Amino acid sequence: MSFDALLGNEQLKIDLARSLQTGHISHCYLITGPEGSGKHTLARLLAAAILCQGRDKPCGVCHPCRKVLEGLHPDFITVDDPEHKTVSVDVIRRSREDVFIQPNEADHKIYLFPRAQDMGLPGQNALLKILEEPPAYAVFLLLAASPEKLLPTVRSRCRELKLSALPREMLETRLSQDFPQASREDIRRAAVRSGGFLGQAKQLLEEGQSIPPQTTVFVHAYAAGDALGLTNLLVPMEKWKRDALIPVLSGWLEILEEALTGRRELSSLSGEIAARRSAPDIYRAIQTLQKAVTYAQGNVSPGAICGYLAWALR
């Protein structure tokens, strides 16, 4: 089994497998990536690997592996407060107290924090106390879509595992397997709009393909050279989260690329731009959108990205 259940991220999986085979286990892992990037999948596999009694970790067939993957292992504990937006400090404190109770049946006791970025400062400080001097058997798995919300002192005590977007061909192949009834065009659009992340692409296909209203407004404004229209579109988007912004910007980029190459796979949208803007204009806009997507993936704020686009696309 190993870490093959996690798609892509080959070097990360090789490094993890190597460290586990040599018995090197960090006391805290920070697993980062946008929604749908595989953070929960990696966390389950990593927990199974740490508790695994097989040779190739995680083997997926030994008793501890099966119990972890089925969510039944008593030494794999989830720390969350799902009824509240912020994980309360009381929940963190209770888990901190539990850490000093010996594992039930394994050599390690693993604590999963699925919403690490939603811990308030009191909660993070409470967690920090145990991260500084944890028992030898304790392992912490912190999942964060927005790791910048964590205190630097917390992050400095973690080994970060950053999940990457999948190659387009790999993603489309997997989507075709999981959604055999979906058209090739729907598969391709979902892959683009997801920013390369399997979970987001699956959600798009499950919900049905629809073009965001912002995309239609963008096409009309850009094709007409309407700088004010672009600004009015982008200003409200400054308050979006990056996970929502990236798929929309990727969709705009796809339309521009189709307009430049002469493909008409997005119907009238790419055709409208191709008919009203010159090839050099479209090429420059493509470069601008490529930078914007890169900025968004690199944790630049949505406000700065939208401001850049309003200026560069005018």
Side-chain angles (χ1 to χ4, degrees):
M1 179 180 177
S2 188
F3 287 95
D4 292 341
L6 177 69
L7 202 61
N9 297 279
E10 298 304 327
Q11 190 58 53
L12 183 152
K13 293 189 292 189
I14 290 172
D15 292 343
L16 269 181
R18 184 182 295 121
S19 65
L20 289 166
Q21 288 296 337
T22 58
H24 180 72
I25 299 173
S26 298
H27 79 278
C28 185
Y29 294 89
L30 173 60
I31 303 176
T32 64
E35 295 299 326
S37 59
K39 296 189 295 298
H40 290 83
T41 298
L42 178 56
R44 287 193 299 272
L45 291 172
L46 181 53
I50 292 171
L51 303 180
C52 180
Q53 296 177 345
R55 183 174 180 179
D56 296 322
K57 302 180 185 301
C59 68
V61 296
C62 72
H63 192 55
C65 272
R66 293 200 308 271
K67 291 182 76 172
V68 169
L69 297 175
E70 293 170 4
L72 300 175
H73 203 296
D75 294 318
F76 182 38
I77 302 159
T78 298
V79 182
D80 198 3
D81 191 7
E83 295 182 359
H84 299 92
K85 183 177 181 180
T86 300
V87 182
S88 73
V89 65
D90 290 337
V91 171
I92 307 301
R93 286 172 178 160
R94 285 196 295 271
S95 68
R96 189 177 65 186
E97 294 171 359
D98 185 77
V99 169
F100 292 102
I101 300 174
Q102 294 281 335
N104 287 275
E105 57 184 61
D107 293 332
H108 291 88
K109 199 171 184 180
I110 304 172
Y111 292 85
L112 172 67
F113 293 76
R115 297 190 296 138
Q117 75 276 350
D118 293 335
M119 294 186 293
L121 291 181
Q124 292 190 49
N125 282 315
L127 179 63
L128 182 59
K129 292 180 180 180
I130 194 63
L131 292 182
E132 291 173 338
E133 296 184 17
Y137 54 77
V139 178
F140 301 88
L141 306 181
L142 277 58
L143 277 55
S146 304
E148 70 278 1
K149 293 183 179 179
L150 293 174
L151 291 170
T153 47
V154 172
R155 295 185 67 176
S156 67
R157 285 163 174 77
C158 305
R159 176 184 175 184
E160 184 170 359
L161 306 176
K162 186 175 183 179
L163 292 165
S164 302
L166 302 177
R168 177 82 67 82
E169 183 177 351
M170 177 186 293
L171 179 55
E172 291 185 4
T173 298
R174 178 59 179 269
L175 292 174
S176 296
Q177 295 170 353
D178 292 347
F179 296 88
Q181 303 303 319
S183 69
R184 184 174 181 180
E185 174 59 15
D186 282 347
I187 294 290
R188 188 183 64 81
R189 289 183 184 178
V192 171
R193 289 183 56 199
S194 70
F197 295 104
L198 179 61
Q200 293 187 28
K202 284 185 173 182
Q203 184 176 359
L204 287 168
L205 287 171
E206 289 166 355
E207 293 176 349
Q209 292 293 306
S210 62
I211 296 173
Q214 293 83 7
T215 296
T216 303
V217 175
F218 165 75
V219 168
H220 294 334
Y222 176 72
D226 182 2
L228 179 59
L230 286 171
T231 300
N232 290 337
L233 166 65
L234 289 163
V235 166
M237 295 173 65
E238 293 179 351
K239 298 180 181 180
W240 287 19
K241 292 184 178 180
R242 283 189 299 274
D243 290 346
L245 188 63
I246 291 172
V248 173
L249 297 185
S250 297
W252 296 0
L253 178 59
E254 180 190 21
I255 291 171
L256 289 167
E257 290 173 342
E258 290 171 350
L260 183 65
T261 59
R263 291 183 286 124
R264 294 295 181 269
E265 294 167 344
L266 287 184
S267 186
S268 61
L269 296 179
S270 56
E272 181 177 351
I273 291 176
R276 304 184 67 180
R277 299 299 294 257
S278 68
D281 284 346
I282 299 172
Y283 179 71
R284 284 191 293 270
I286 288 172
Q287 291 180 311
T288 297
L289 263 297
Q290 287 173 337
K291 288 181 180 179
V293 171
T294 300
Y295 291 155
Q297 292 171 340
N299 291 334
V300 177
S301 71
I305 293 167
C306 291
Y308 163 70
L309 288 173
W311 171 80
L313 293 173
R314 69 189 190 284

